[in-house]
Amino acid sequence: MAQLLKSELVWWRSFNLLLVDLTSQHVRLFTTLKVENNGTDSVSEVLLPFPDHQSKNLAFLTATTTEEKGKSKSSSQALPIKVVNPEGMPISLAWYSASLPKELGKGGQLTLEIRAVFTHALRPFPEKITQADAQLVVFQDSAYYLSPYVVKAQSFTVKLPEPRVESYTKLENAKLSGSEIKYGPYENIPPFSYTPIVVHFASNGPFAVAKDLVREIEISHWGNVQITEHYNLIHAGAESIGEFSRLDYQARPYLRGASAFRHLIAKLPPRAHSVYYRDEIGNISTSNLWGDSTKTLLEIEPRYPLFGGWKTSFTIGYGLPLHDFLFQSEGQRFLNISFGSPMNELVIDNLIVKVILPEGSKDITVSVPFPIKEWQEMKFSHLDMVGRPVVVLEKTNVVPEHNQYFQVKYRFNNLSLFREPLMLISGFFFLFVACIIYTHADFTISKSSASYVAKLQWDEVQTAIQQFQGVMSRCLAIHDKLEASLRDLSRTGDAQACKAARKAADSSLKELSKELKSLLGFLQSSPQAAQILPKVDELVVKEKELQEKLMLKHSIVVDAFEKRSGGRDTESRVASIQQKITALRLEVDDLLEVIDEI
Amino acid sequence: MAAPETSPTPSSLRNAFGHVFSIFILILIGVLAFSIRLFSVIKYESVIHEFDPYFNYRVTQFLTKNGIYDFWNWFDDRTWYPLGRVIGGTVYPGLTLTAGTLWWLLNSLNIPLSVETVCVFTAPIFSAFASWATYLLTKEVKGAGAGLTAAALLAMVPSYISRSVAGSYDNEAVAIFALIFTFYLYIKTLNTGSLFYATLNSIAYFYMVCSWGGYTFIINLIPMHVLLCIVTGRYSSRLYIAYAPLVVLGTLLAALVPVVGFNAVMTSEHFASFLVFIIIHVVALVYYIKGILSPRMFKVAVMLVLSVGLVICCTVVAVLIALVASSPTKGWSGRSLSLLDPTYASKYIPIIASVSEHQPPTWPSYFMDLNILAFLVPAGIVACFLPLSDASSFVILYIVTSVYFSGVMVRLMLVLAPAACIMSGIALSGAFDVLTRSLKFQLPGTSEIFASDAVDTGSESVILNKDGAEEDKSEDSVKERPSKKNKKKEKEKEKEKEKEKEKEKENAGTSSSRSHAERRPLVLPVEASVIAIFLLVLLVAFYVVHCVWAAAEAYSAPSIVLTSQSPDGLHVFDDFREAYAWLSHNTDVDDKVASWWDYGYQTTAMANRTVIVDNNTWNNTHIATVGTAMSSPEKAAWEIFNSLDVKYVLVVFGGLVGYPSDDINKFLWMVRIGGGVFPHIKEPDYLRDGQYRIDSQATPTMLNCLMYKLSYYRFVETDGKGFDRVRRTEIGKKYFKLTHFEEVFTTHHWMVRIYKLKSPRNRIRGKTKKSKSKSSSTISSKSSRTRKKNPWN
């Protein structure tokens, strides 16, 4: 190993451009290295050391190489990076090594672009400010690029959010222009040179840090991907002390309250729908949503402006169309969805992504483009029997650069979709079947108990009464027929037909009276019918009377018609009978109704 | 209920068909009752409303998290600091247990609803149950038709909606169901005489006791009815079965509820039930003896028993009266007393009088809450007398008592609403019965009734009676047509004049026609009945429109989030939750927050911070302490608050946006309640010539009190004048500084302002010495004075 390093130390000869971007709370370090192998052996790895205090804040590191083919720069290629621990090196350095796509021979040249993102690297100073103060932060780094190799030439640019700079370390060749500080160029820097610089400047950008963020991605094969994100947010800038005056904040928001942030913007995927924004005590009404075909923008405003040290927590949720994120290949399905939070200004200390797959998913594999902690759980949700498999991914120190797509592959049978609807259907089916059985079955324990026998008898009485009512209504129908025949008579003048009708009615009425007798006999014998019996008897009598009167009227009318006598005499007789008939009919109807009610 | 006429057994088929049909209607009524209450969720959000529901919600959360045993033993140290409150023993657990059980049931079925969702929708679900219970009750009284009508009316009566919209998670939501269901089971027992229903009745009563303090209404109304039955000679074994088990079982069960406990036998509210219990036994004994003795022997026995019994009764009553009279409130709780004597609360208990829902209602509120029911009720009462049965006499008693109670306290309008619905249901269904039957009789299909003149004259006479207005009783069959038309016109006019009076008359007419024409059905002319039906339907349609409006506009606002319609769209005032969220995230978890008691429940539930007083106003002295602090000058207030460990003071201020129910408007109650315990706070000090004002004419005491200062701190800088939009005046003292408090948070519309108590300033050695030597002579008198001012020293 030492041998290797030695050889490497010789070959470095680079022109080095550093740019550190401090405009937000993320410190982004862009390094462009032009590498030349001056050694004898060919090398396949480049070592990238960071001092410990930086490496513990290092959230993201990539190295890409761009091969120069003629004039057009093309085919940039990401290099795999791994942590190494070379011997014999100065302590308190963390080492990363990027392996080159192909070995670099002697004298070979290469351009490397290294991009590192640090969180919590800006320290507020002073640590406590009042509402009226602007937030000042301190950034510390080395003016020279820390490397195990000789650096031929190097320049270092610090980009600040606003031109207000309290102080900065003045080295030679240091220059402040606008909101940029330039160090360098410096030439021929020996390995492991370290010259600390400190920049103290104003930064009022949102220092929004999500202490915890839990993203739940729930897949429904009915066509929806539901995403729920629980944020636990803190303003990690300089702590606010003293009074908070709403008056000052409202009247002069950019002077009194510059360090606070009011809103965050979440860039959701296109066609996001059913967006909500709430916290544990209800909906938060201060949000805006607009979108086009490429994105949906959700501007959320916490319930109150966040000053330094203030915390809040909320939940946003949205649905996405399934076909945008779920694909099929070789009998497998895979979900392809972005990893991090949709909010670009956020630093996430601890991110947990839970992918909830539908019930019955099997053979689950996950591929994430960066190292991550991963395990599986079960979740019981709507009417689940065996539970839904949940893939849990956990990562600390997440920055927007982690917003890359990751894949979850699984197998799922489409028939499982119908499990829950079928369960519901069969559940209700059996419920109704049980109801039907209950109403038709006899659950009486003692079949000989008095009340049970009485109930049975009562049922019989009821059927008898129903039959009785049927007979009665048929009687009444015959009466109606008789009346109708009379009307026919006045229209057609066919007295014979009328007589025939009377005869037919007479005979059928007689038959009915026979039927009635048997029914009455039963009712008289049954003790249960005792209360109803008088009414029934009365009805029978009234009906008989009605019948007689009708017959009488019928015969009178027919006679009168045959004799052509007509005149007042018959009319008055008929009228008196008719009155009685009507009265009787009404009584009969009344009685029928009374019996009906019983 | 159309029945196929040619079927072999039309009645049975009709019954079956009607049965299914009415079940279907009932389901629809349930859906209606549920969905009309969702306006609050649709227009606003699924959130708990108002004040008390937040407490219930918090208790439910505790129950679902910690289980039932911890719930019974829950001592809450986050409220009434430093006293705390025994929640398990002082809360009516019915609602919480119901929602907790629902939640548990759903979760065990793997339907993951949050506790909040279950709580929000408990009230609508139970209002569907309540309308079904109304159906059952009214069916027992007047048949299925009246039952369905009453259920439909109850499903959307505004008075009940106001307490049971989605999110209004309060005791009343389940209690009204329990109330109606208990009454139903009582009537059912009374009608059947079955011990099974009597037992169910006790269990329903137990549920009611669990749910609401209003159970005393049941345990007084039922004895009253029993007494009524006995007095009017309607005693029967069924009555005994309905009453005696209820008292024994019901009282035993009620005593199981911790909040009631021995009150079930010790307080005067339950006294009536025991008295009637004794009476009914005496009556039962008398009836029994009457049955086994000959009439002569019976007379002798009566003499004997009466003389002995009277003596015993007198002694017992005397002892009871002596016992009761020995307690200062005569054994009645304050709220019950204020029911019996409406002026009681305003005289003695300002804390009860200060709650707006304990005020007597205004006349418009009857129309607002009951709408047409208010006019239909008399008709229903009349219908209940035709014929008077045990059940209908109970309903009459129910409405009469509840009308009285609703007149005392606006909140008890809620008890009146079911009674009014039942009565109106009976009236409406009776009217429809008559009208549709007269249509049915005169339809061409049954023409032979038409054929004769006699029928027409008969029906004509009935109509005459029915109309009641016409004295003309001639049975003139020749002039039938024109007279009919006349009558029709008369009827129309009348209808247009006063529908409700007409209804009354109609029913009055019904009675007279009954007597006149025996059981002959009432038949109206077709035109009249068509028009009457049309008008009735119109009336009911107005009711529906009103109810929907009330549900959508009047009663759906959750009151924690306010909206106003301005020309440039809807404006949302979400200041309360803004403040509570700030408290919950940015203060220490053990900090104590002082505010007027209205906001106590919300602070504990939403902000999860310890409060000094809350809406459970069990300790008047504690509330008076906070009231005193609010009405004291800054220094004295700081001392009181500091002695209570208070770190933050929360005031509600509506002056910037014109929110009228803010602390300045409630301030006089603070003074009154504070002054009731600490006499150095005197109400006249805060009034100028008997007027409450905050402008430059206000008294110096008013302008220097803490509430004024916290409300108007730096308010003048908003517009330069300090114009208060609620009081519509410029404030009196505009520029002042706070020395012992500092503003830490004010919400967007300034509706909630939170101040922090400044820690006491370090003493500077030299100064203290000086002041000591100076004030050594006065220190004793001073300290005695401060002692008076600060009750916690």
Side-chain angles (χ1 to χ4, degrees), chain A residues 89-104:
Chain A
M89 289 292 154
I91 49 161
S92 67
L93 284 183
W95 292 85
Y96 299 87
S97 93
S99 9
L100 301 176
K102 56 178 187 242
E103 290 200 340
L104 201 62

mmCIF file of all heavy atoms in Angstrom, chain A residues 89-104:
data_model
loop_
_atom_site.group_PDB
_atom_site.id
_atom_site.type_symbol
_atom_site.label_atom_id
_atom_site.label_comp_id
_atom_site.label_asym_id
_atom_site.label_seq_id
_atom_site.Cartn_x
_atom_site.Cartn_y
_atom_site.Cartn_z
ATOM 1 N N MET A 89 -0.735 7.641 6.717
ATOM 2 C CA MET A 89 -1.174 8.969 6.315
ATOM 3 C C MET A 89 -1.436 9.805 7.558
ATOM 4 O O MET A 89 -1.654 9.262 8.648
ATOM 5 C CB MET A 89 -2.466 8.858 5.497
ATOM 6 C CG MET A 89 -2.220 8.271 4.143
ATOM 7 S SD MET A 89 -1.257 9.440 3.190
ATOM 8 C CE MET A 89 -0.452 8.337 2.078
ATOM 9 N N PRO A 90 -1.445 11.101 7.442
ATOM 10 C CA PRO A 90 -1.746 11.950 8.606
ATOM 11 C C PRO A 90 -3.119 11.582 9.197
ATOM 12 O O PRO A 90 -4.026 11.200 8.469
ATOM 13 C CB PRO A 90 -1.780 13.363 8.025
ATOM 14 C CG PRO A 90 -1.027 13.277 6.756
ATOM 15 C CD PRO A 90 -1.160 11.898 6.247
ATOM 16 N N ILE A 91 -3.215 11.674 10.523
ATOM 17 C CA ILE A 91 -4.491 11.322 11.165
ATOM 18 C C ILE A 91 -5.528 12.423 10.917
ATOM 19 O O ILE A 91 -5.239 13.448 10.308
ATOM 20 C CB ILE A 91 -4.310 11.105 12.680
ATOM 21 C CG1 ILE A 91 -3.527 12.283 13.255
ATOM 22 C CG2 ILE A 91 -3.652 9.773 12.966
ATOM 23 C CD1 ILE A 91 -3.684 12.403 14.724
ATOM 24 N N SER A 92 -6.700 12.159 11.411
ATOM 25 C CA SER A 92 -7.869 13.026 11.270
ATOM 26 C C SER A 92 -8.108 13.427 9.824
ATOM 27 O O SER A 92 -8.388 14.557 9.494
ATOM 28 C CB SER A 92 -7.795 14.260 12.175
ATOM 29 O OG SER A 92 -6.765 15.119 11.787
ATOM 30 N N LEU A 93 -7.959 12.440 9.008
ATOM 31 C CA LEU A 93 -8.386 12.610 7.619
ATOM 32 C C LEU A 93 -9.253 11.416 7.256
ATOM 33 O O LEU A 93 -8.995 10.298 7.702
ATOM 34 C CB LEU A 93 -7.196 12.652 6.664
ATOM 35 C CG LEU A 93 -6.366 13.924 6.606
ATOM 36 C CD1 LEU A 93 -5.279 13.773 5.549
ATOM 37 C CD2 LEU A 93 -7.219 15.135 6.289
ATOM 38 N N ALA A 94 -10.284 11.674 6.496
ATOM 39 C CA ALA A 94 -11.100 10.572 6.000
ATOM 40 C C ALA A 94 -10.809 10.413 4.516
ATOM 41 O O ALA A 94 -10.697 11.402 3.795
ATOM 42 C CB ALA A 94 -12.578 10.870 6.221
ATOM 43 N N TRP A 95 -10.673 9.163 4.126
ATOM 44 C CA TRP A 95 -10.206 8.908 2.764
ATOM 45 C C TRP A 95 -11.301 8.268 1.919
ATOM 46 O O TRP A 95 -11.970 7.345 2.358
ATOM 47 C CB TRP A 95 -8.987 7.982 2.774
ATOM 48 C CG TRP A 95 -7.785 8.641 3.370
ATOM 49 C CD1 TRP A 95 -7.485 8.711 4.686
ATOM 50 C CD2 TRP A 95 -6.772 9.312 2.662
ATOM 51 N NE1 TRP A 95 -6.321 9.404 4.877
ATOM 52 C CE2 TRP A 95 -5.854 9.794 3.627
ATOM 53 C CE3 TRP A 95 -6.514 9.582 1.314
ATOM 54 C CZ2 TRP A 95 -4.720 10.508 3.289
ATOM 55 C CZ3 TRP A 95 -5.380 10.286 0.994
ATOM 56 C CH2 TRP A 95 -4.493 10.756 1.980
ATOM 57 N N TYR A 96 -11.405 8.778 0.742
ATOM 58 C CA TYR A 96 -12.288 8.146 -0.236
ATOM 59 C C TYR A 96 -11.460 7.895 -1.470
ATOM 60 O O TYR A 96 -10.533 8.628 -1.769
ATOM 61 C CB TYR A 96 -13.465 9.062 -0.592
ATOM 62 C CG TYR A 96 -14.327 9.380 0.590
ATOM 63 C CD1 TYR A 96 -14.023 10.449 1.424
ATOM 64 C CD2 TYR A 96 -15.447 8.591 0.869
ATOM 65 C CE1 TYR A 96 -14.809 10.735 2.518
ATOM 66 C CE2 TYR A 96 -16.233 8.869 1.965
ATOM 67 C CZ TYR A 96 -15.914 9.946 2.787
ATOM 68 O OH TYR A 96 -16.679 10.212 3.861
ATOM 69 N N SER A 97 -11.794 6.837 -2.160
ATOM 70 C CA SER A 97 -11.034 6.589 -3.387
ATOM 71 C C SER A 97 -11.993 6.387 -4.535
ATOM 72 O O SER A 97 -13.013 5.716 -4.406
ATOM 73 C CB SER A 97 -10.130 5.378 -3.213
ATOM 74 O OG SER A 97 -10.766 4.226 -3.661
ATOM 75 N N ALA A 98 -11.679 7.031 -5.628
ATOM 76 C CA ALA A 98 -12.482 6.880 -6.838
ATOM 77 C C ALA A 98 -11.701 6.021 -7.797
ATOM 78 O O ALA A 98 -10.552 6.326 -8.128
ATOM 79 C CB ALA A 98 -12.764 8.233 -7.450
ATOM 80 N N SER A 99 -12.319 4.931 -8.246
ATOM 81 C CA SER A 99 -11.601 4.080 -9.192
ATOM 82 C C SER A 99 -11.853 4.578 -10.612
ATOM 83 O O SER A 99 -12.982 4.889 -10.984
ATOM 84 C CB SER A 99 -12.022 2.625 -9.051
ATOM 85 O OG SER A 99 -13.114 2.502 -8.204
ATOM 86 N N LEU A 100 -10.801 4.629 -11.337
ATOM 87 C CA LEU A 100 -10.888 5.152 -12.701
ATOM 88 C C LEU A 100 -11.440 4.068 -13.624
ATOM 89 O O LEU A 100 -11.290 2.869 -13.362
ATOM 90 C CB LEU A 100 -9.498 5.580 -13.169
ATOM 91 C CG LEU A 100 -8.845 6.654 -12.299
ATOM 92 C CD1 LEU A 100 -7.426 6.927 -12.791
ATOM 93 C CD2 LEU A 100 -9.669 7.927 -12.329
ATOM 94 N N PRO A 101 -12.102 4.514 -14.660
ATOM 95 C CA PRO A 101 -12.675 3.513 -15.586
ATOM 96 C C PRO A 101 -11.601 2.664 -16.251
ATOM 97 O O PRO A 101 -11.778 1.469 -16.459
ATOM 98 C CB PRO A 101 -13.430 4.374 -16.591
ATOM 99 C CG PRO A 101 -12.855 5.738 -16.481
ATOM 100 C CD PRO A 101 -12.389 5.894 -15.069
ATOM 101 N N LYS A 102 -10.527 3.282 -16.607
ATOM 102 C CA LYS A 102 -9.415 2.492 -17.104
ATOM 103 C C LYS A 102 -8.121 3.056 -16.525
ATOM 104 O O LYS A 102 -8.059 4.225 -16.149
ATOM 105 C CB LYS A 102 -9.376 2.499 -18.639
ATOM 106 C CG LYS A 102 -9.305 3.895 -19.243
ATOM 107 C CD LYS A 102 -9.216 3.770 -20.761
ATOM 108 C CE LYS A 102 -8.969 5.128 -21.385
ATOM 109 N NZ LYS A 102 -10.010 5.588 -22.288
ATOM 110 N N GLU A 103 -7.161 2.201 -16.453
ATOM 111 C CA GLU A 103 -5.923 2.609 -15.799
ATOM 112 C C GLU A 103 -5.274 3.759 -16.546
ATOM 113 O O GLU A 103 -5.312 3.837 -17.777
ATOM 114 C CB GLU A 103 -4.961 1.417 -15.745
ATOM 115 C CG GLU A 103 -5.437 0.351 -14.785
ATOM 116 C CD GLU A 103 -4.302 -0.561 -14.381
ATOM 117 O OE1 GLU A 103 -3.297 -0.594 -15.110
ATOM 118 O OE2 GLU A 103 -4.447 -1.217 -13.329
ATOM 119 N N LEU A 104 -4.712 4.638 -15.737
ATOM 120 C CA LEU A 104 -4.060 5.797 -16.332
ATOM 121 C C LEU A 104 -2.570 5.490 -16.461
ATOM 122 O O LEU A 104 -1.874 5.265 -15.478
ATOM 123 C CB LEU A 104 -4.283 7.013 -15.422
ATOM 124 C CG LEU A 104 -4.127 8.386 -16.055
ATOM 125 C CD1 LEU A 104 -5.161 8.566 -17.159
ATOM 126 C CD2 LEU A 104 -4.307 9.452 -14.987
#
